[in-house]
mmCIF file of all heavy atoms in Angstrom:
data_model
loop_
_atom_site.group_PDB
_atom_site.id
_atom_site.type_symbol
_atom_site.label_atom_id
_atom_site.label_comp_id
_atom_site.label_asym_id
_atom_site.label_seq_id
_atom_site.Cartn_x
_atom_site.Cartn_y
_atom_site.Cartn_z
ATOM 1 N N VAL A 270 -33.280 -47.110 -39.214
ATOM 2 C CA VAL A 270 -32.751 -45.932 -39.913
ATOM 3 C C VAL A 270 -33.357 -45.825 -41.309
ATOM 4 O O VAL A 270 -33.761 -44.739 -41.748
ATOM 5 C CB VAL A 270 -31.204 -45.994 -39.978
ATOM 6 C CG1 VAL A 270 -30.655 -44.941 -40.908
ATOM 7 C CG2 VAL A 270 -30.610 -45.837 -38.589
ATOM 8 N N GLY A 271 -33.454 -46.942 -42.001
ATOM 9 C CA GLY A 271 -34.013 -46.940 -43.344
ATOM 10 C C GLY A 271 -35.477 -46.529 -43.368
ATOM 11 O O GLY A 271 -35.899 -45.733 -44.220
ATOM 12 N N LEU A 272 -36.260 -47.040 -42.434
ATOM 13 C CA LEU A 272 -37.675 -46.674 -42.399
ATOM 14 C C LEU A 272 -37.873 -45.210 -42.029
ATOM 15 O O LEU A 272 -38.746 -44.536 -42.585
ATOM 16 C CB LEU A 272 -38.425 -47.589 -41.438
ATOM 17 C CG LEU A 272 -38.556 -49.031 -41.904
ATOM 18 C CD1 LEU A 272 -39.254 -49.881 -40.847
ATOM 19 C CD2 LEU A 272 -39.302 -49.104 -43.218
ATOM 20 N N VAL A 273 -37.065 -44.703 -41.106
ATOM 21 C CA VAL A 273 -37.153 -43.280 -40.754
ATOM 22 C C VAL A 273 -36.802 -42.409 -41.959
ATOM 23 O O VAL A 273 -37.491 -41.421 -42.259
ATOM 24 C CB VAL A 273 -36.242 -42.965 -39.543
ATOM 25 C CG1 VAL A 273 -36.064 -41.477 -39.356
ATOM 26 C CG2 VAL A 273 -36.795 -43.593 -38.279
ATOM 27 N N LEU A 274 -35.738 -42.787 -42.669
ATOM 28 C CA LEU A 274 -35.367 -42.029 -43.868
ATOM 29 C C LEU A 274 -36.444 -42.099 -44.947
ATOM 30 O O LEU A 274 -36.715 -41.102 -45.628
ATOM 31 C CB LEU A 274 -34.037 -42.532 -44.427
ATOM 32 C CG LEU A 274 -32.778 -42.099 -43.680
ATOM 33 C CD1 LEU A 274 -31.569 -42.825 -44.233
ATOM 34 C CD2 LEU A 274 -32.603 -40.604 -43.770
ATOM 35 N N LEU A 275 -37.073 -43.250 -45.109
ATOM 36 C CA LEU A 275 -38.138 -43.379 -46.098
ATOM 37 C C LEU A 275 -39.341 -42.497 -45.750
ATOM 38 O O LEU A 275 -39.907 -41.840 -46.623
ATOM 39 C CB LEU A 275 -38.578 -44.833 -46.231
ATOM 40 C CG LEU A 275 -37.634 -45.757 -46.992
ATOM 41 C CD1 LEU A 275 -38.102 -47.200 -46.871
ATOM 42 C CD2 LEU A 275 -37.556 -45.349 -48.445
ATOM 43 N N VAL A 276 -39.713 -42.454 -44.490
ATOM 44 C CA VAL A 276 -40.867 -41.650 -44.077
ATOM 45 C C VAL A 276 -40.572 -40.160 -44.220
ATOM 46 O O VAL A 276 -41.355 -39.406 -44.804
ATOM 47 C CB VAL A 276 -41.283 -41.993 -42.630
ATOM 48 C CG1 VAL A 276 -42.282 -41.000 -42.088
ATOM 49 C CG2 VAL A 276 -41.858 -43.399 -42.576
ATOM 50 N N ILE A 277 -39.430 -39.722 -43.698
ATOM 51 C CA ILE A 277 -39.078 -38.304 -43.787
ATOM 52 C C ILE A 277 -38.886 -37.893 -45.246
ATOM 53 O O ILE A 277 -39.328 -36.821 -45.670
ATOM 54 C CB ILE A 277 -37.829 -38.007 -42.942
ATOM 55 C CG1 ILE A 277 -38.163 -38.181 -41.459
ATOM 56 C CG2 ILE A 277 -37.313 -36.600 -43.197
ATOM 57 C CD1 ILE A 277 -36.971 -38.069 -40.547
ATOM 58 N N GLY A 278 -38.247 -38.739 -46.026
ATOM 59 C CA GLY A 278 -38.072 -38.451 -47.444
ATOM 60 C C GLY A 278 -39.395 -38.363 -48.178
ATOM 61 O O GLY A 278 -39.583 -37.509 -49.044
ATOM 62 N N GLY A 279 -40.335 -39.240 -47.835
ATOM 63 C CA GLY A 279 -41.655 -39.181 -48.451
ATOM 64 C C GLY A 279 -42.384 -37.886 -48.128
ATOM 65 O O GLY A 279 -43.067 -37.310 -48.979
ATOM 66 N N ILE A 280 -42.227 -37.416 -46.902
ATOM 67 C CA ILE A 280 -42.845 -36.139 -46.516
ATOM 68 C C ILE A 280 -42.239 -34.995 -47.316
ATOM 69 O O ILE A 280 -42.958 -34.132 -47.833
ATOM 70 C CB ILE A 280 -42.688 -35.911 -44.996
ATOM 71 C CG1 ILE A 280 -43.544 -36.915 -44.230
ATOM 72 C CG2 ILE A 280 -43.059 -34.482 -44.616
ATOM 73 C CD1 ILE A 280 -43.280 -36.941 -42.740
ATOM 74 N N TYR A 281 -40.922 -34.973 -47.444
ATOM 75 C CA TYR A 281 -40.258 -33.919 -48.223
ATOM 76 C C TYR A 281 -40.663 -33.974 -49.700
ATOM 77 O O TYR A 281 -40.878 -32.931 -50.331
ATOM 78 C CB TYR A 281 -38.735 -34.027 -48.111
ATOM 79 C CG TYR A 281 -38.151 -33.279 -46.945
ATOM 80 C CD1 TYR A 281 -37.768 -33.946 -45.795
ATOM 81 C CD2 TYR A 281 -37.957 -31.914 -47.011
ATOM 82 C CE1 TYR A 281 -37.225 -33.273 -44.727
ATOM 83 C CE2 TYR A 281 -37.403 -31.219 -45.954
ATOM 84 C CZ TYR A 281 -37.039 -31.905 -44.806
ATOM 85 O OH TYR A 281 -36.495 -31.229 -43.752
ATOM 86 N N VAL A 282 -40.756 -35.168 -50.248
ATOM 87 C CA VAL A 282 -41.160 -35.304 -51.648
ATOM 88 C C VAL A 282 -42.578 -34.775 -51.840
ATOM 89 O O VAL A 282 -42.858 -34.023 -52.784
ATOM 90 C CB VAL A 282 -41.049 -36.772 -52.114
ATOM 91 C CG1 VAL A 282 -41.762 -36.999 -53.428
ATOM 92 C CG2 VAL A 282 -39.594 -37.170 -52.230
ATOM 93 N N TYR A 283 -43.488 -35.129 -50.942
ATOM 94 C CA TYR A 283 -44.871 -34.670 -51.043
ATOM 95 C C TYR A 283 -44.945 -33.145 -50.947
ATOM 96 O O TYR A 283 -45.640 -32.503 -51.739
ATOM 97 C CB TYR A 283 -45.726 -35.319 -49.955
ATOM 98 C CG TYR A 283 -47.135 -34.808 -49.930
ATOM 99 C CD1 TYR A 283 -48.053 -35.206 -50.899
ATOM 100 C CD2 TYR A 283 -47.544 -33.903 -48.959
ATOM 101 C CE1 TYR A 283 -49.347 -34.731 -50.895
ATOM 102 C CE2 TYR A 283 -48.841 -33.420 -48.945
ATOM 103 C CZ TYR A 283 -49.735 -33.838 -49.907
ATOM 104 O OH TYR A 283 -51.016 -33.344 -49.900
ATOM 105 N N ARG A 284 -44.240 -32.571 -49.982
ATOM 106 C CA ARG A 284 -44.253 -31.109 -49.841
ATOM 107 C C ARG A 284 -43.667 -30.430 -51.068
ATOM 108 O O ARG A 284 -44.171 -29.404 -51.519
ATOM 109 C CB ARG A 284 -43.465 -30.692 -48.597
ATOM 110 C CG ARG A 284 -44.196 -30.933 -47.316
ATOM 111 C CD ARG A 284 -43.383 -30.413 -46.156
ATOM 112 N NE ARG A 284 -44.048 -30.685 -44.891
ATOM 113 C CZ ARG A 284 -43.499 -30.492 -43.722
ATOM 114 N NH1 ARG A 284 -42.261 -30.023 -43.647
ATOM 115 N NH2 ARG A 284 -44.156 -30.763 -42.622
ATOM 116 N N GLY A 285 -42.593 -30.982 -51.591
ATOM 117 C CA GLY A 285 -41.965 -30.391 -52.772
ATOM 118 C C GLY A 285 -42.869 -30.441 -53.986
ATOM 119 O O GLY A 285 -42.994 -29.466 -54.723
ATOM 120 N N VAL A 286 -43.521 -31.576 -54.200
ATOM 121 C CA VAL A 286 -44.395 -31.725 -55.363
ATOM 122 C C VAL A 286 -45.601 -30.792 -55.246
ATOM 123 O O VAL A 286 -45.981 -30.134 -56.225
ATOM 124 C CB VAL A 286 -44.837 -33.198 -55.522
ATOM 125 C CG1 VAL A 286 -45.986 -33.342 -56.503
ATOM 126 C CG2 VAL A 286 -43.666 -34.042 -55.953
ATOM 127 N N THR A 287 -46.202 -30.709 -54.065
ATOM 128 C CA THR A 287 -47.358 -29.833 -53.912
ATOM 129 C C THR A 287 -46.971 -28.364 -54.052
ATOM 130 O O THR A 287 -47.723 -27.583 -54.662
ATOM 131 C CB THR A 287 -48.062 -30.065 -52.569
ATOM 132 O OG1 THR A 287 -47.128 -29.897 -51.500
ATOM 133 C CG2 THR A 287 -48.688 -31.436 -52.507
ATOM 134 N N LYS A 288 -45.823 -27.977 -53.509
ATOM 135 C CA LYS A 288 -45.385 -26.586 -53.634
ATOM 136 C C LYS A 288 -45.078 -26.243 -55.085
ATOM 137 O O LYS A 288 -45.449 -25.174 -55.576
ATOM 138 C CB LYS A 288 -44.161 -26.322 -52.758
ATOM 139 C CG LYS A 288 -43.724 -24.869 -52.748
ATOM 140 C CD LYS A 288 -42.564 -24.643 -51.817
ATOM 141 C CE LYS A 288 -43.104 -24.383 -50.441
ATOM 142 N NZ LYS A 288 -42.106 -23.793 -49.551
ATOM 143 N N LYS A 289 -44.411 -27.154 -55.794
ATOM 144 C CA LYS A 289 -44.111 -26.915 -57.204
ATOM 145 C C LYS A 289 -45.392 -26.788 -58.020
ATOM 146 O O LYS A 289 -45.503 -25.898 -58.869
ATOM 147 C CB LYS A 289 -43.243 -28.047 -57.758
ATOM 148 C CG LYS A 289 -41.794 -27.983 -57.339
ATOM 149 C CD LYS A 289 -41.005 -29.210 -57.707
ATOM 150 C CE LYS A 289 -41.128 -29.629 -59.131
ATOM 151 N NZ LYS A 289 -40.259 -30.753 -59.483
#
Side-chain angles (χ1 to χ4, degrees):
V270 169
L272 291 177
V273 167
L274 284 172
L275 285 172
V276 169
I277 293 173
I280 291 170
Y281 272 102
V282 166
Y283 175 75
R284 284 184 182 171
V286 167
T287 56
K288 185 177 273 196
K289 284 171 51 175

